Amino acid sequence: MAMSEFGIVYAVHIITVQFGSVVSKVCECLLRKGPLSSRDISRLAESDINHNQVKDILYLLIQHNCVQAFSIEPPDGSENKAIVQYIVLFNNILHRVRYNKFSRLVNEELGTECGAVLDGLLSNGRLTLGQLIERDRDSGKTIGSEAIRDSLQKLVAARFVERIPSPEPVLGNKEQEPAKKRGAKAAKILKEPETLEERVVEAATPVDAIRFPLIFEEDANSSLAVDDSNITEGKRKQRDVDSSDPSSGVIWRPNFEEFIHRLRHKACVEIVKERRDEGCAIVLRAMLEVGRSQEKKVKTDNSAPMSIGSIYEEVIKTEAGRTMLQERVEACLDQLSATSSYLPAFVTEMNDSYIVDFKSIISVAQKDEIEAVVMRRYGKEAFRMFRYLSQEGRFVETDKIADAALTEKKDTPQFLLKMWKDGYLHMQKLAITGTYVPFLLWKVNKLIVTRQMLDEMYHASLNLNLRLAHELESEKELLMLPSDKLEGPLKERVKKVKAKRLLLSSTMFKLDDAIMLFHDF
Amino acid sequence: MSKRKRPDPKSPGGDLNEPHEKKLLDLIRINQGRGATMFELKREKTIPATIVTRLIASLRKKNLIKEVANMNNKGVKHYLAMEFEPCSELTGGEWYTDGALDLSKIEDLKAKCVMILERHRQRVVTLEVLCGYFVKEEKLSVDQTKEILKNLILDNLIMEVKSNGMNEFASTRIGEVCYRLTGKKSGNGEPRAGAFASIPCGVCPHIAICSPDGVISPTTCVYFQKWLDF
């Protein structure tokens, strides 16, 4: 999805808070102008940053996985060298505000030692095993190099941690590919064209055997992350490089894809628990566990098919599902497969196999979020109209909407116009000969609504951040005083500031879940 | 000898003087409950536009046609043959009285429907039973009952399900259309608030003009102030 204005502003704010405004200027330049070479960045960035500073900033952003370098193969026969360009990884910038969610996942699933190793990688961006051991040695609560090594292996085995990608993948020149004549059928089977970011990330990602090695070969005592590969003409191109030089260690980083994958599954279980019941949630959790390893990408629409036997086997492994009989599991599967005007099916049954319909589960939660905004912002009449148009899925004329929503015909246009003005409805005018005024037709376009809501959610996230900073800044001196020495009104004021901080932080946490629901899941 | 024609004993209300008058009346009759507007009648090529107004007045005087205002556009008059009732396009429909929607009646009917479903919370209520009640007790038509139910579905208060003959559908035929309350939406029985809708920005009418350094900004926002004033 293309970046929206407040998506960019929010991402720039995240980088500014964590790395300062000079770094964020470089980031903003890439966000607004697309992939650029370092020379172009120093020319176009809205600050006086010289070329060497730009390079250092880019290394920092690469270290923290916010930028990826790449080059495009020059055309055949051309004598030009491939120019290295840098592309910003918008998703990874947003992930920076949800590191505590990633930490919690690992602490729950693999324990606190793995959690500590992950925290090291999250705060430093990328480290070798040697650096992780050194970090542990310097910390207050050391757990020992063996424990660090074991934890890292567990994290890699669970795919929470990966080997860093190729520092400078070379993309084939797309213009050189011969134009193939494709029929309509072939065009439908082919997948949608990839964005440049997707191509770069795919080209940089090593195969699974290298990305998640089963056996760690490198020397655990090596504390140097730095080596140079791609050295040409004696110049260093990159600092952080995974090289084949045996004196350097493999460099590791968090695998955000897997975290989002797990959070998506968690969200689906919560959605089902709220809308069905605990039993259905237990069965769904088991199904997700069964099918997880076969899912090739995060945003997969459906799980792999699975039998009742494999589902039941997984259910009874869990503490909550230990006492469930197979009949109960089958009853839950029937419930999950049922449809009504209220809920679609979450599971599809096909030839004695069951498939989880992720798209259906996620869309129910997205619909609830959108409709909650429509209800609170525009009122219950507009809510009925919006739901009617969502169900119809096509253009409908104003009077018909009024009839369906049982609203006054003369009042209906104002509700529809308000929603249209804010980007929640699509409108078309239809002039018919013989009528005095053109017909207005209305439609809910889910893609447009989703984009609009996402942009508003980024805006709201930014606002919550800014407000929190403002609240803390305005009571900065008070908060510096030792709280046990405070009494009376001052103590009350501190309590109030802390309560505001808690409310704003927890709201940002929940809003980020909603952002993931629309952007990542 | 009188040149006046004798009145036709078969036609109600008197004779049709002009040859075009009958044509005009036929044109209006064809459109039944929708009738025709002056604009549409004047566009008719078979009748000279200049005499349409006089013919309309004559037909009205003879009680052969009536004038009905279009409730969507009160300035536009439709002419209907006397034997036809105005269609819902002109009156607004069965829920309209004198051009206004009977909102209190609709809300009252919806509340009664929800009460019936609340009494049968553990089971479902069939469409047949609901139609039976509303037709008998509230004098609605089957179509009107269905409209009330559809409206409650749009309110997200009830849901339509098809019976599978088991559990809560035990006393219904398989495939029968039934209704139940959407029931508990979130843990405490309240409608799901929505993460974005629960914060000031989610419902703010000025979000489009809000910016970090603008006149409306998160640090100066009055909605934020109220929200944090607990």
Side-chain angles (χ1 to χ4, degrees):
Chain A
M1 209 185 269
M3 276 176 265
S4 63
E5 175 60 25
F6 271 99
I8 294 173
V9 175
Y10 182 43
V12 169
H13 172 80
I14 292 169
I15 297 292
T16 309
V17 165
Q18 295 180 5
F19 299 112
S21 57
V22 180
V23 175
S24 70
K25 286 274 177 257
V26 169
C27 202
E28 186 170 6
C29 189
L30 289 171
L31 282 164
R32 291 201 183 277
K33 305 220 187 316
L36 294 167
S37 66
S38 54
R39 290 236 172 259
D40 285 338
I41 294 169
S42 50
R43 189 170 49 86
L44 293 169
E46 277 177 31
S47 240
D48 222 356
I49 320 176
N50 68 44
H51 186 231
N52 284 331
Q53 270 180 302
V54 165
K55 292 209 100 168
D56 286 339
I57 290 170
L58 287 169
Y59 291 150
L60 176 69
L61 290 169
I62 290 169
Q63 168 74 18
H64 285 274
N65 308 299
C66 297
V67 160
Q68 170 74 48
F70 71 100
S71 55
I72 296 182
E73 204 180 323
D76 282 344
S78 157
E79 286 177 10
N80 297 332
K81 271 194 323 197
I83 300 172
V84 178
Q85 292 182 293
Y86 299 88
I87 188 166
V88 72
L89 303 174
F90 174 73
N91 292 353
N92 288 3
I93 296 178
L94 292 198
H95 290 327
R96 300 190 68 79
V97 302
R98 37 185 90 119
Y99 282 178
N100 52 357
K101 293 180 186 174
F102 299 162
S103 278
R104 190 196 281 188
L105 256 178
V106 164
N107 279 314
E108 280 170 3
E109 195 171 309
L110 299 176
T112 51
E113 286 182 353
C114 290
V117 170
L118 178 74
D119 286 344
L121 291 172
L122 288 171
S123 40
N124 291 280
R126 12 179 107 179
L127 294 169
T128 61
L129 175 56
Q131 287 172 316
L132 282 165
I133 291 169
E134 213 176 288
R135 181 180 171 270
D136 172 63
R137 232 181 273 140
D138 295 339
S139 77
K141 289 188 213 170
T142 174
I143 59 175
S145 59
E146 270 313 301
I148 295 285
R149 189 194 170 88
D150 285 342
S151 300
L152 183 62
Q153 263 180 317
K154 281 185 196 159
L155 285 164
V156 173
R159 301 198 167 197
F160 287 129
V161 164
E162 62 177 359
R163 190 190 213 112
I164 60 166
S166 165
E168 241 174 66
V170 181
L171 267 60
N173 192 333
K174 261 209 157 166
E175 287 159 6
Q176 286 189 276
E177 285 169 16
K180 291 177 192 162
K181 209 175 166 189
R182 292 184 180 123
K185 265 193 192 170
K188 276 187 200 162
I189 297 163
L190 289 170
K191 59 178 191 174
E192 278 175 30
E194 287 173 307
T195 60
L196 179 60
E197 185 182 333
E198 283 165 349
R199 283 180 66 207
V200 168
V201 168
E202 200 183 311
T205 307
V207 294
D208 280 2
I210 298 175
R211 195 177 169 198
F212 308 108
L214 293 170
I215 300 159
F216 284 14
E217 288 164 2
E218 77 280 10
D219 179 6
N221 291 327
S222 155
S223 60
L224 288 171
V226 176
D227 196 2
D228 302 305
S229 69
N230 296 338
I231 296 175
T232 55
E233 299 172 71
K235 284 185 185 168
R236 277 178 194 222
K237 285 210 166 196
Q238 194 80 6
R239 292 254 176 93
D240 279 344
V241 165
D242 174 23
S243 79
S244 52
D245 187 326
S247 68
S248 77
V250 172
I251 308 174
W252 306 99
R253 72 170 192 178
N255 175 17
F256 299 124
E257 220 176 75
E258 185 60 25
F259 286 111
I260 296 298
H261 190 196
R262 302 290 183 118
L263 288 175
R264 188 183 195 233
H265 280 192
K266 263 189 116 174
C268 286
V269 171
E270 280 309 307
I271 291 165
V272 164
K273 185 172 166 183
E274 261 199 49
R275 288 152 183 80
R276 290 285 182 204
D277 58 34
E278 181 72 48
C280 290
I282 293 170
V283 169
L284 188 86
R285 192 180 287 121
M287 291 176 81
L288 297 178
E289 200 58 46
V290 169
R292 186 188 305 140
S293 55
Q294 292 165 76
E295 284 161 28
K296 295 290 166 228
K297 52 177 186 164
V298 175
K299 281 192 186 183
T300 183
D301 283 352
N302 296 296
S303 72
M306 52 196 88
S307 64
I308 177 74
S310 53
I311 298 170
Y312 186 59
E313 226 175 85
E314 191 62 43
V315 166
I316 55 177
K317 272 189 209 166
T318 64
E319 202 177 314
R322 200 165 292 150
T323 52
M324 280 176 87
L325 298 174
Q326 183 152 323
E327 286 80 18
R328 173 96 163 91
V329 171
E330 285 172 0
C332 289
L333 285 167
D334 283 338
Q335 253 192 296
L336 288 165
S337 317
T339 55
S340 67
S341 66
Y342 181 53
L343 289 175
F346 292 148
V347 163
T348 329
E349 193 191 333
M350 207 189 299
N351 303 330
D352 293 333
S353 288
Y354 295 90
I355 300 169
V356 176
D357 188 345
F358 289 111
K359 202 170 169 188
S360 170
I361 298 172
I362 299 290
S363 70
V364 159
Q366 288 175 338
K367 186 167 86 82
D368 281 351
E369 275 290 334
I370 296 171
E371 287 177 2
V373 169
V374 169
M375 170 69 111
R376 291 284 309 270
R377 215 185 262 187
Y378 307 110
K380 63 178 179 176
E381 289 85 4
F383 176 72
R384 289 201 288 266
M385 292 177 207
F386 188 86
R387 277 173 56 78
Y388 171 66
L389 287 169
S390 301
Q391 283 164 21
E392 291 295 297
R394 59 183 177 89
F395 279 107
V396 184
E397 189 245 318
T398 313
D399 277 358
K400 227 174 155 209
I401 298 169
D403 288 339
L406 287 178
T407 46
E408 285 274 15
K409 285 195 164 101
K410 60 179 174 22
D411 295 335
T412 303
Q414 77 197 45
F415 292 112
L416 296 167
L417 279 166
K418 259 193 230 164
M419 288 193 278
W420 168 74
K421 224 174 94 206
D422 292 342
Y424 281 78
L425 285 186
H426 203 37
M427 189 256 281
Q428 224 177 57
K429 283 187 187 170
L430 190 68
I432 292 184
T433 337
T435 55
Y436 299 107
V437 287
F439 279 112
L440 294 181
L441 301 173
W442 310 88
K443 184 180 175 180
V444 166
N445 182 320
K446 197 178 168 203
L447 193 61
I448 294 177
V449 173
T450 303
R451 269 196 205 132
Q452 177 64 27
M453 258 198 73
L454 251 181
D455 191 56
E456 289 180 1
M457 288 197 284
Y458 292 140
H459 191 168
S461 271
L462 175 70
N463 284 354
L464 288 166
N465 270 274
L466 292 174
R467 186 69 192 215
L468 176 60
H470 169 76
E471 295 290 335
L472 295 177
E473 180 66 28
S474 54
E475 298 284 24
K476 187 169 63 173
E477 283 164 16
L478 183 64
L479 289 169
M480 284 197 310
L481 300 171
S483 54
D484 48 347
K485 299 269 186 335
L486 297 171
E487 280 173 29
L490 282 180
K491 194 170 182 181
E492 284 307 308
R493 254 170 74 187
V494 167
K495 249 172 85 176
K496 183 113 191 237
V497 173
K498 287 185 176 172
K500 283 185 188 178
R501 182 171 61 189
L502 182 63
L503 175 62
L504 286 162
S505 309
S506 63
T507 305
M508 285 193 284
F509 187 96
K510 284 187 213 141
L511 184 60
D512 184 62
D513 283 343
I515 288 174
M516 281 197 286
L517 182 68
F518 282 90
H519 184 253
D520 299 279
F521 298 166
Chain B
M1 269 183 356
S2 170
K3 282 187 182 171
R4 272 182 69 191
K5 283 186 186 169
R6 288 184 188 280
D8 186 347
K10 285 183 194 158
S11 76
D15 61 329
L16 301 171
N17 288 334
E18 301 265 357
H20 294 302
E21 216 174 80
K22 182 168 188 316
K23 214 181 266 178
L24 197 70
L25 182 61
D26 286 342
L27 273 170
I28 290 171
R29 271 207 181 112
I30 277 170
N31 288 326
Q32 298 186 25
R34 198 196 157 273
T37 61
M38 190 69 87
F39 176 79
E40 286 161 357
L41 294 169
K42 281 187 176 174
R43 246 183 7 187
E44 258 308 306
K45 293 196 169 64
T46 51
I47 302 173
T50 43
I51 60 166
V52 168
T53 314
R54 186 164 54 82
L55 292 176
I56 292 282
S58 167
L59 286 169
R60 283 185 74 186
K61 214 170 160 188
K62 291 171 190 170
N63 267 340
L64 290 170
I65 65 172
K66 57 190 172 187
E67 185 183 272
V68 174
N70 185 331
M71 64 93 45
N72 290 321
N73 192 345
K74 296 260 161 50
V76 177
K77 310 284 183 224
H78 287 240
Y79 298 99
L80 275 67
M82 285 307 267
E83 56 266 36
F84 293 108
E85 285 305 312
C87 67
S88 59
E89 193 188 318
L90 297 181
T91 61
E94 288 163 318
W95 302 109
Y96 283 79
T97 316
D98 298 326
L101 191 63
D102 200 343
L103 282 168
S104 57
K105 180 180 174 189
I106 292 168
E107 291 305 316
D108 183 56
L109 291 166
K110 280 160 72 173
K112 283 185 173 139
C113 185
V114 170
M115 246 170 36
I116 295 171
L117 293 176
E118 252 167 8
R119 252 185 266 136
H120 298 88
R121 216 173 237 284
Q122 303 308 321
R123 300 195 309 273
V124 294
V125 182
T126 63
L127 174 63
E128 212 178 301
V129 162
L130 287 165
C131 284
Y133 169 79
F134 281 103
V135 165
K136 188 173 167 203
E137 304 296 330
E138 305 291 340
K139 312 288 180 240
L140 296 187
S141 66
V142 168
D143 281 343
Q144 281 180 299
T145 310
K146 284 183 181 173
E147 275 188 78
I148 292 289
L149 290 166
K150 279 200 181 104
N151 208 261
L152 282 166
I153 291 173
L154 289 182
D155 277 329
N156 213 15
L157 290 173
I158 73 171
M159 60 168 119
E160 185 181 288
V161 288
K162 284 234 168 78
S163 166
N164 60 11
M166 299 194 297
N167 304 317
E168 66 268 31
F169 300 103
S171 52
T172 59
R173 290 189 304 273
I174 293 177
E176 189 163 5
V177 173
C178 310
Y179 295 88
R180 68 186 318 164
L181 293 174
T182 48
K184 199 164 68 163
K185 294 177 178 61
S186 63
N188 58 4
E190 292 299 315
R192 209 167 287 108
F196 185 38
S198 310
I199 61 178
C201 306
V203 299
C204 179
H206 308 299
I207 190 167
I209 52 173
C210 161
S211 69
D213 306 314
V215 171
I216 298 177
S217 76
T219 47
T220 57
C221 175
V222 295
Y223 298 125
F224 255 124
Q225 193 59 46
K226 268 193 204 156
W227 184 58
L228 292 170
D229 243 342
F230 46 79

